[in-house]
Structure formats: C-alpha cells, structure tokens
Amino acid sequence: MEDDRTRKEMMFGEIGKYCLDISKLVFGGVILAGIMNLDVNYYALFILGSLSVLLMAVAGFVCINFSNNKKK
C-alpha cells in the first residue's frame, strides 16, 4: 500500500515537470515564430500560445503541488 502511494507521488511529480517543460517549449516556439518572417496570424499565435503555456504551467504546478502535499 505504501509503495503504491510513493509511486503515485513520484508519477505526479514527473507529470508536473513534464507539463512545465512543455510550457517552456511552447513559449519558446511562440517567441521564435513571432520573430521569424512567416505568414501567420500573429494575434492567433500569441493568444493560443499564451493560453496553452498558461494551461500547461498551471497543470504542472498543480501536479507538483499535489505530489509535495502527499509527502507531508
């Protein structure tokens, strides 16, 4: 029983780190796409990019917080 709990805590921590990494990659992609001279709708790029970065960052912090609360 205890082994399952620590495994779940580790899994939530890793999922949180993964979500934060994805949000950083999307943020970098939005910045690079904005700098390059591409035929893209910049408003849609920045709005959708910002929403996805915020969503993934919040999900990452929630998972990390959930895994840390279980340890206490």
Side-chain angles (χ1 to χ4, degrees):
M1 186 83 169
E2 186 68 31
D3 189 34
D4 289 338
R5 180 174 286 168
T6 56
R7 202 176 310 166
K8 286 181 184 178
E9 290 171 3
M10 278 183 47
M11 187 63 86
F12 276 114
E14 292 299 317
I15 289 171
K17 290 178 191 176
Y18 179 76
C19 288
L20 289 176
D21 287 341
I22 293 296
S23 71
K24 288 186 279 188
L25 287 171
V26 170
F27 181 75
V30 167
I31 297 299
L32 286 176
I35 291 173
M36 297 175 145
N37 292 329
L38 301 174
D39 283 338
V40 294
N41 186 352
Y42 290 109
Y43 295 115
L45 173 73
F46 288 121
I47 289 172
L48 291 176
S50 298
L51 286 175
S52 62
V53 165
L54 287 174
L55 180 71
M56 293 303 288
V58 167
F61 287 129
V62 166
C63 287
I64 289 173
N65 191 23
F66 188 69
S67 73
N68 287 342
N69 282 343
K70 293 285 187 175
K71 291 179 184 176
K72 293 179 183 179

